[in-house]
Each structure stands twice: as C-alpha cells, then as structure tokens.
Amino acid sequence: MSLPKVLQNLRLPVVGAPMFIVSGPELVIAQCKAGIVGSFPALNARPQHVLDEWLTRINIELDQHKKDNPDAIVAPYAVNQICHGSNNRLMEDMATCVKHKVPIVITSLQANKDVYEAVHSYGGIIMHDVINIRHTEKALSMGADGIIAVCTGAGGHAGTLSPFALIPEIRKIHDGLLLCSGSLATGGSVLGAQAIGADLGYIGTRFIASKEANADEGYKQMLVDSAAKDVVYSSLFTGVSGNYLAKSITAAGMDPNNLPEADKSAMNFGSGGNSDKKAWKDIWGAGQGTGSINDSPSIADIIDRMESEYKAAKVRISSS
Ligand SMILES: Cc1cc2nc3c(=O)[nH]c(=O)nc-3n(C[C@H](O)[C@H](O)[C@H](O)COP(=O)(O)O)c2cc1C
C-alpha cells in the first residue's frame, strides 16, 4: 500500500519522534526544513495557550521557508497527544490542533476515538504507538491510519519486543502505514527498518544530541559518552518501563544496577514516580542507539549525514 499523501514527499523516510521537554518549535522546524517529519508532545507547550502560539509559529516559519526555497523538500509536522486519564488538557489541546489542521497526530498510551474523530474531521492522519499486537489491533479497530512499533531499546517508554519479531507480526494484520522505532540512529538503521517491513523510521534519541534540542548540554554530552550498555530499562521513575541513561541515575544518587521495582499506584507519566528525582528532568531518557552518537551538530548536518549513510547502505547491500 502506498504512503498517505502527506508523507509522500520526504527527503529521508524518517519521523523525528516526540520527546517530553526535549522537542519544541526549534527542533520541529529544523527537522521539517531538513525534510523529515518533526514532532512534539502537546504537553511541552505550557500553559495550554502556548500550544496555539507554537503551532502558529511552526506554520508561519515553514510557509515562509517554502516561499523562500520553492525547490526544497519541506516535511509536514506532527503533534503528540498523551491519551491517558492523567492528561486533563487532552480535548482542549485537540481543539487547538483542529484549529490549525495539524497534518499528523501521534497518539500514545491509549487509542482514543474522540481524538481520532477530531483529526479525521479535517483530513489529518493518526499514527498510534504500540509495543505489542494487542495494542495494534485495538488502535486499528478504532481507525488509526498508521502504527508505530516501539521496539526494544527505544528511548523513553519502550517495549521489549525485537523489531525483527514485531514488525513482521504487525504486517500480518496491517498493510498500511507502519513505522519502526528503537535504537535507530543512522541512515543504515533506517534502511534496515524498511528491509524488515516498515515504511518509515521513528527516531528520538539521535535528535536529543543536536543544536536545536531543548536539552541540557550535560545531557547531550552524556549521550556522546554513553553506549548501549549504559542504558537501563526500569519502571521506577514513571511507573511505566522505559530506557534511561545509567550515568544520569548515578548522578541522581542511585545505583543503576540495583533499582527497586516501581509501585504501580505511583504511576505518573510526566515525572516523579518513586524517587524525589524527576524523570526526564534529572533522569535522562535515551535509547540504546546512543552508542552511535558521537557529536551534537545541527539537525541539518545530522540529516545530511543520515541521507549519505542511507544511500551508502543501499549501494552496499545491492552490490553484495
Ligand atoms: C527523552 C525522551 C522523551 C520522550 N517523551 C515522549 C513523549 O512525551 N511522548 C511519546 O509518545 N514518546 C516519547 N518518547 C519516545 C519517543 O517518541 C520514541 O518512541 C523513542 O525515542 C524512539 O526510540 P529512540 O530514542 O531509540 O530513537 C520519549 C523518548 C525520549 C528519549
């Protein structure tokens, strides 16, 4: 099946994944100008009315860029909605998205019929993130247009299934838009995701170590200094299992090799959990792809490099 129209003209088959705190207008605009989809969680715009300001700015800057560079590939942007009872802004944020006709909405945690109807009312598309087949079936039955498989090794809240297992299983029940995430950090890994059946790669951690990301310089440097072995999977910090940089856990005064299990009653997606250190702010999320990050250049430079790697990987494979 062909890609939805809105995704047919990308420079590289990549969506920049939404990241709590890290993704704001600078990052999104840079990603779209570089030719990949940029996205941010609506909850990053605080208080709620700031979402309207961010969307206005993104639309104006991207429209201007298109006018100034008529031949450039400018990708669409996406807004991430956390569909969970703890998000009391959800429908207000949706009304703002409808006002701006946000081209793509990414839903996380629960598939939500009201959100889906709102997005479809103006012709937008929904991509829902999942960690297993049960979540996939549920989202598809509610009308999701695309599925994002959040596989093992992904930054932030992540699943435990290998993409080599999950992507083909999803393909058995869904021939539409499918994205693959978890540790993708190079152009070669994007081609790998396509080789196993995904249409697009969904990448978070690589973009934290960029000039435009809203992240502490120490966080960016820790990504450069860390490898896959330095990523710890724990439910302690938010009540949901996710991947974090071991060195940030140590810096917060805890032993990353001896973390207690989370108390589910303390589930809190934004922060907190069972320690006085805040997830995302003090305990830094990262996927295992951190081992492929060696610098923090601009998004334009990262995408130039990824595109060369992607093309080189294609040549390497087709000549082997
Ligand atoms: C610091 C951080 C914050 C994140 N915050 C969110 C979020 O607010 N909403 C969401 O749907 N996913 C969030 N994610 C998950 C990403 O959208 C994406 O699934 C993940 O980064 C992909 O794996 P990778 O980091 O290995 O590329 C976050 C990931 C990181 C690293």
Side-chain angles (χ1 to χ4, degrees):
M1 219 180 101
S2 62
L3 287 175
K5 197 159 180 277
V6 70
L7 290 168
Q8 282 176 5
N9 191 25
L10 301 181
R11 178 166 160 216
L12 200 60
V14 169
V15 171
M19 293 179 282
F20 192 57
I21 304 176
V22 174
S23 316
E26 284 80 15
L27 183 61
V28 171
I29 291 166
Q31 289 171 324
C32 296
K33 283 183 179 175
I36 65 158
V37 177
S39 73
F40 68 96
L43 288 174
N44 279 2
R46 293 173 190 228
Q48 200 279 332
H49 70 81
V50 174
L51 181 60
D52 188 53
E53 292 165 23
W54 282 17
L55 292 175
T56 303
R57 177 178 163 198
I58 291 169
N59 282 322
I60 289 175
E61 288 196 32
L62 292 181
D63 283 348
Q64 189 59 47
H65 186 72
K66 283 179 203 164
K67 274 190 202 127
D68 296 343
N69 303 275
D71 297 330
I73 294 176
V74 182
Y77 67 90
V79 171
N80 170 227
Q81 295 286 23
I82 305 291
C83 300
H84 184 257
S86 62
N87 181 3
N88 54 17
R89 287 174 42 170
L90 179 61
M91 290 322 287
E92 215 178 332
D93 285 345
M94 270 322 300
T96 310
C97 290
V98 172
K99 175 183 162 196
H100 287 272
K101 296 190 167 53
V102 169
I104 304 163
V105 170
I106 296 169
T107 51
S108 307
L109 296 178
Q110 288 160 5
N112 181 310
K113 229 178 171 40
D114 294 337
V115 170
Y116 288 17
E117 278 171 15
V119 176
H120 287 151
S121 71
Y122 60 86
I125 68 164
I126 290 277
M127 307 194 305
H128 183 71
D129 73 9
V130 305
I131 58 168
N132 58 35
I133 289 293
R134 187 170 61 83
H135 294 167
T136 306
E137 285 169 341
K138 177 107 191 179
L140 291 174
S141 73
M142 287 201 178
D145 303 286
I147 295 294
I148 303 163
V150 182
C151 301
T152 189
H157 296 150
T160 53
L161 295 177
S162 160
F164 292 106
L166 187 55
I167 295 286
E169 280 194 32
I170 294 177
R171 271 290 174 234
K172 282 191 201 165
I173 58 168
H174 173 60
D175 70 352
L177 177 62
L178 178 57
L179 294 89
C180 174
S181 95
S183 312
L184 275 65
T186 65
S189 59
V190 174
L191 187 66
Q194 290 186 307
I196 57 173
D199 298 301
L200 306 172
Y202 188 74
I203 301 181
T205 300
R206 167 63 271 197
F207 298 126
I208 304 172
S210 72
K211 285 208 171 80
E212 294 88 347
N214 181 34
D216 195 281
E217 284 307 314
Y219 188 177
K220 297 178 187 181
Q221 189 56 43
M222 199 177 279
L223 288 166
V224 171
D225 294 339
S226 295
K229 68 171 174 48
D230 303 313
V231 172
V232 172
Y233 190 63
S234 171
S235 60
L236 178 67
F237 307 108
T238 67
V240 176
S241 296
N243 283 311
Y244 302 91
L245 288 171
K247 290 172 189 168
S248 70
I249 298 173
T250 307
M254 285 172 275
D255 178 359
N257 299 313
N258 260 314
L259 293 173
E261 273 301 301
D263 168 5
K264 290 272 181 203
S265 64
M267 190 182 281
N268 179 337
F269 294 99
S271 64
N274 308 78
S275 82
D276 59 348
K277 293 292 176 186
K278 289 200 185 307
W280 318 119
K281 188 173 164 287
D282 305 307
I283 310 290
W284 292 332
Q288 292 175 2
T290 187
S292 301
I293 299 175
N294 303 311
D295 52 10
S296 293
S298 66
I299 289 293
D301 286 346
I302 294 174
I303 299 305
D304 280 350
R305 193 188 300 162
M306 267 190 195
E307 188 185 39
S308 312
E309 291 165 347
Y310 180 81
K311 287 179 177 163
K314 262 191 176 170
V315 170
R316 192 172 64 244
I317 283 166
S318 55
S319 62
S320 64

